């Protein structure tokens, strides 16, 4: 039972078609409670991911750090559903699934499955909410595993972690994006970040069943992992290059949201969420990886696009004037802006400034998103937002931004659907 929704999912009778049906490259799924309990070996069920209903003792979100503390079951405090995995206790929160609520009612609080919009975790309900929002197809990032599977990378038992990743990927392909989704949900899979060879094998396993996107960290060293300037990731990157698998990096996929101080309120980080994407993109452009792996593509989810032109301008100047002492002359042989045009995609849902500077970004390098069911989501008015922002653009330009570029990048059918194998 949903509490206080402000918008109901009702079929739209508006027949306007000024904005093409949207293909969102950044939505989210809240995993149903049984994803891992149904798929892990019995010996792991008591330590693998499972849902426990318990009270909240305390919870803070400051300086980009989220710190919840679970209370004793049966004790005092707001009741929520918690993912429990090894020693990790992670609650479902209103920020995980905020659509349908007035902006001023969205607070950092624990919730249960009954208190979230059903489309967050249920395929038929999700398709209905997509219909309301003029969305044809959507690629969804995870919630409990976090945006690139950090939960399993940080776990103690990597044998169990690998099983959890494979279980998630099987659920993603076979159920979330299975027959009932009718090609409208596009799979995004995870890899074991702690082992590039295992990661390559998982990319190939999923590519064989039609998956063309894999989640990765925007700044791996923040997770204690090698940077993209090393050769450590080459087996994984080679697998992506060979299979046409897009490396998808969501803000927060380095487990460290940008902030300015330990006591900065979330509004500070929310304003500068693009910063890690910016740093990451410069890393990739100066890494030489795009020249070593010519078919490699990367995309930045929820990073917006208005910041890109200056960074490309600055990167070109540095490459032109300072590459000799800057450590890139022997591996970056083309201007970074040219590499960007061939390999990098920016994703946005609300960026009027970026849309006024498409020529400096590149029309072919821009993708659209709705961020359902997060608090930033434009649901259920993504069409209206898109029409307002893109009303000054030619129809063929809007077509590419809203769906055409996604169809090409993710190898969807001409109709904009995922066809699996």
């Amino acid at each position: 039972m949903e509490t206080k929704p402000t918008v109901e999912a009702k079929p739209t009778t508006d027949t306007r078609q000024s904005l093409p049906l949207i293909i969102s490259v950044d939505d989210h799924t809240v995993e149903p409670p049984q994803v891992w309990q149904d798929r892990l070996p019995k010996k792991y069920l008591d330590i693998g991911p499972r849902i426990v209903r318990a009270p909240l003792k305390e919870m803070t979100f400051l300086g980009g750090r989220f710190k919840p503390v679970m209370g004793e079951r049966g004790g005092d405090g707001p009741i929520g559903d918690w993912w429990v995995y090894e020693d990790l206790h992670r609650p479902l929160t209103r920020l995980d699934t905020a659509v349908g609520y007035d902006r001023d009612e969205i607070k950092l609080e624990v919730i249960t499955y009954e208190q979230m919009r059903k489309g967050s975790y249920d395929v038929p309900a999700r398709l209905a909410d997509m219909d309301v929002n003029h969305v044809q197809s959507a690629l969804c990032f995870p919630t409990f595993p976090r945006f690139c599977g950090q939960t399993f990378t940080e776990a103690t038992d990597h044998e169990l972690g690998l099983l959890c990743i494979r279980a998630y990927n099987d659920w993603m392909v076979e159920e979330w994006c299975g027959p009932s989704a009718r090609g409208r949900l596009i799979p995004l899979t995870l890899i074991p970040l702690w082992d590039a060879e295992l990661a390559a094998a998982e990319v190939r396993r999923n590519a064989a069943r039609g998956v063309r996107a894999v989640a990765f960290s925007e700044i791996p060293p923040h997770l204690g992992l090698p940077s993209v300037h090393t050769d450590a990731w080459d087996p994984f990157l080679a697998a992506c290059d060979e299979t046409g698998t897009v490396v998808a990096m969501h803000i927060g996929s380095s487990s460290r949201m940008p902030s300015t101080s330990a006591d900065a309120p979330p509004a500070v980080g929310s304003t500068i969420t693009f910063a890690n994407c910016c740093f990451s993109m410069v890393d990739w452009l100066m890494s030489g990886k795009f020249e070593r792996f010519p078919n490699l593509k990367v995309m930045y989810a929820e990073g917006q696009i208005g910041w890109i032109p200056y960074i490309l301008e600055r990167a070109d100047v540095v490459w032109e004037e300072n590459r000799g002492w800057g450590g890139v002359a022997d591996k970056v042989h083309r201007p970074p802006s040219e590499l960007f045009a061939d390999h990098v995609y920016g994703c946005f849902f609300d960026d009027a400034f970026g849309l006024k500077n498409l020529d400096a970004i590149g029309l072919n390098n821009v993708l659209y998103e709705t961020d359902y069911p997060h608090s930033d989501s434009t649901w259920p008015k993504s069409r209206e937002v898109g029409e307002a922002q893109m009303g000054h653009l030619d129809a063929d330009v809007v077509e590419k931004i809203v769906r055409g570029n996604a169809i090409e990048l993710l190898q969807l059918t001409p109709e904009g659907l995922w066809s699996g194998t």
Side-chain angles (χ1 to χ4, degrees), residues 47-83:
I47 58 173
R50 60 206 182 277
I51 285 290
V52 171
R53 185 158 291 185
L56 171 72
K57 184 175 181 180
E58 61 180 294
M59 180 164 57
T60 59
F61 188 16
L62 292 172
R65 299 287 187 176
F66 176 50
K67 295 181 179 179
V69 179
M70 187 171 78
E72 295 291 333
R73 296 179 69 178
D76 296 332
I79 300 298
D81 283 334
W82 295 69
W83 282 106

Side-chain angles (χ1 to χ4, degrees), residues 246-266:
V246 179
V247 178
M249 294 170 282
H250 195 284
I251 59 166
S253 57
S254 56
S255 294
R256 189 183 301 177
M257 292 297 288
S259 191
T260 55
S261 64
D263 59 350

Side-chain angles (χ1 to χ4, degrees), residues 43-161:
K43 68 176 182 177
Y44 287 121
L45 295 183
D46 290 338
I47 58 173
R50 60 206 182 277
I51 285 290
V52 171
R53 185 158 291 185
L56 171 72
K57 184 175 181 180
E58 61 180 294
M59 180 164 57
T60 59
F61 188 16
L62 292 172
R65 299 287 187 176
F66 176 50
K67 295 181 179 179
V69 179
M70 187 171 78
E72 295 291 333
R73 296 179 69 178
D76 296 332
I79 300 298
D81 283 334
W82 295 69
W83 282 106
V84 178
Y85 169 49
E86 291 190 340
D87 295 328
L88 174 67
H89 298 157
R90 198 282 190 191
L92 299 179
T93 75
R94 177 56 62 208
L95 299 187
D96 293 327
T97 171
V99 291
Y101 286 76
D102 183 88
R103 297 283 184 180
D104 291 335
E105 292 182 347
I106 300 171
K107 301 175 182 178
L108 183 61
E109 59 183 349
V110 296
I111 61 171
T112 66
Y113 277 92
E114 289 81 6
Q115 292 171 309
M116 71 173 69
R117 195 169 189 86
K118 193 174 181 180
S120 302
Y121 61 89
D122 177 81
V123 171
R126 171 60 64 92
L127 297 184
D129 277 358
M130 288 164 62
D131 288 341
V132 169
N133 202 31
H134 199 65
V135 172
Q136 178 189 28
S137 307
L139 178 142
C140 296
F141 284 82
T143 297
F144 168 70
R146 311 219 299 281
F147 293 143
C148 66
Q150 303 102 296
T151 295
F152 305 121
T153 298
E154 295 168 359
T156 301
D157 187 341
H158 277 170
E159 179 181 354
L160 171 58

Side-chain angles (χ1 to χ4, degrees), residues 355-375:
L355 288 170
K356 294 175 183 177
N357 293 276
L358 281 175
D359 289 346
I361 300 169
L363 174 58
N364 295 329
N365 301 85
V366 175
L367 304 169
Y368 201 51
E369 56 187 51
T370 75
D371 198 31
Y372 179 104
H374 285 180
S375 60

